[in-house]
Amino acid sequence: GGAVLLVSEHGDARRRGFWAAWPQTGAPAGQLLATGVLSALTAVLSDGAFEAWGWRVPFLLSGVLVMVGLWIRLSVDESPVFKAALARAEARKEQGGVAERPPLVAVLRDHRRDVLVAMGARMAENISYYVITAFILVYATERTHLSQQTALNAVLIGSAAHFAVIPAWGALSDRVGRRPVYLLGAAGVGIWAFPFFALVDTGRFWALVVAVTVGLVCHGAMYAPQAAFFSEMFATRMRYSGASIGAQFASVAAGAPAPLIATALLAEHDSGTPVALYVMAAAVLTLVAVGCARETRHRDLAEADDDTGRAPARTGGGSSVAERR
């Protein structure tokens, strides 16, 4: 939530979708790093060595990324939008003598609809991503008897394509709107669910690559405009809490159990069809949620909202001072 808001508030409003999509490339970039390290370890270590100690290596290496991320965040200045919001909050405090409170309650009171839209928007995005990149490693090895290395290589190639298309989808959302691009992605993963498993079932490497790559390209059409879409959805005092609550609650409800649910469906039915139906059902939920949302790409984040915390029809604002502090 904080990363995409920081970029959204710093960037050019006319290209907000493009610039805000760059933090989203952290997902495929992380997937490339993680899958690359795992692929290298499985290539050089025996199964026994990997199970004994090799699996710990990626976790230890990730600690380096934590330090890099911390250094970047401490080095980046607050956005002009936030500084303006800070000045207004300080002025209100001096005039009324009351400091601004965290807006969690106000978000749930005034932005219930937007929180639900954000959660619904993430259903297909989150579930499809974990099915395509995590569950596929189980499905491909157990159903088609492909090696884990082969499945990892397919995910690597798909993640590279995913990384490349995310900024492009973000730029397209600046031209045609967040909702059309998002709806295209949700429809894409829903339709692709059945061809996805049909291709994997062939047991051929090239078919596995096509299945993963097309799936991640469709996923990118949701993931790319999501950053700007969620940032623009909430008013000034609520943005940080609203965007984060909507996104993270959905991650817990949708993404976290997705590999477990998919694995259970495979064990119960010995087929990819129930998993495809699961992804399609999530896509329908996302289509309904985004279809009920308002288009946001014309909102100006530099303009303040009114005292109720509700954003004007075509304008938004910066994040809450209390939240960002």
Side-chain angles (χ1 to χ4, degrees):
V4 297
L5 290 184
L6 202 61
V7 175
S8 295
E9 292 176 357
H10 265 102
D12 177 7
R14 293 172 298 178
R15 305 186 67 196
R16 186 179 298 126
F18 172 75
W19 290 116
W22 280 101
Q24 306 293 73
T25 62
Q31 187 71 41
L32 283 168
L33 288 173
T35 308
V37 170
L38 188 59
S39 180
L41 288 172
T42 56
V44 301
L45 296 178
S46 65
D47 290 344
F50 181 82
E51 291 176 3
W53 59 269
W55 64 270
R56 293 182 172 88
V57 174
F59 289 93
L60 295 173
L61 291 176
S62 70
V64 178
L65 294 181
V66 172
M67 300 307 297
V68 171
L70 180 62
W71 172 74
I72 291 173
R73 180 62 190 94
L74 293 175
S75 302
V76 176
D77 194 15
E78 293 290 356
S79 69
V81 171
F82 171 72
K83 290 179 178 179
L86 175 61
R88 291 194 299 270
E90 293 295 341
R92 288 194 298 268
K93 181 178 178 180
E94 290 178 3
Q95 292 175 1
V98 179
E100 184 177 351
R101 296 180 178 179
L104 178 60
V105 174
V107 167
L108 298 178
R109 182 190 64 205
D110 297 324
H111 283 270
R112 286 191 300 270
R113 180 179 183 275
D114 293 326
V115 168
L116 290 173
V117 166
M119 291 180 66
R122 289 215 73 189
M123 288 295 162
E125 178 266 305
N126 231 217
I127 289 172
S128 66
Y129 183 74
Y130 286 109
V131 168
I132 294 168
T133 62
F135 171 70
I136 190 62
L137 301 179
V138 175
Y139 187 85
T141 54
E142 291 188 1
R143 285 278 298 174
T144 65
H145 305 293
L146 290 169
S147 68
Q148 188 178 56
Q149 187 68 49
T150 299
L152 286 170
N153 289 339
V155 173
L156 270 172
I157 294 170
S159 295
H162 196 210
F163 182 91
V165 301
I166 284 177
W169 284 124
L172 182 63
S173 77
D174 287 326
R175 297 180 64 88
V176 303
R178 317 294 183 219
R179 291 175 69 251
V181 177
Y182 212 117
L183 290 169
L184 177 64
V189 296
I191 294 170
W192 187 246
F194 287 98
F196 175 85
F197 286 102
L199 285 168
V200 177
D201 284 340
T202 66
R204 298 177 180 176
F205 175 68
W206 67 265
L208 184 59
V209 170
V210 171
V212 172
T213 301
V214 174
L216 288 177
V217 168
C218 293
H219 174 271
M222 293 183 286
Y223 201 51
Q226 184 182 102
F229 187 36
F230 287 6
S231 298
E232 295 159 347
M233 195 178 294
F234 296 93
T236 305
R237 294 175 52 248
M238 324 293 181
R239 179 168 298 124
Y240 198 97
S241 289
S244 295
I245 290 171
Q248 304 313 324
F249 277 22
S251 293
V252 173
L260 300 176
I261 292 173
T263 303
L265 289 171
L266 177 62
E268 179 69 23
H269 300 281
D270 193 29
S271 170
T273 301
V275 183
L277 290 171
Y278 172 48
V279 174
M280 181 173 288
V284 171
L285 284 174
T286 293
L287 287 169
V288 172
V290 177
C292 292
R294 295 178 290 270
E295 180 56 57
T296 63
R297 72 185 175 105
H298 293 300
R299 288 184 175 172
D300 183 356
L301 300 186
E303 291 188 17
D305 54 333
D306 60 33
D307 293 335
T308 67
R310 296 183 176 86
R314 291 172 64 87
T315 60
S319 300
S320 164
V321 172
E323 297 169 319
R324 291 282 278 267
R325 281 175 150 175

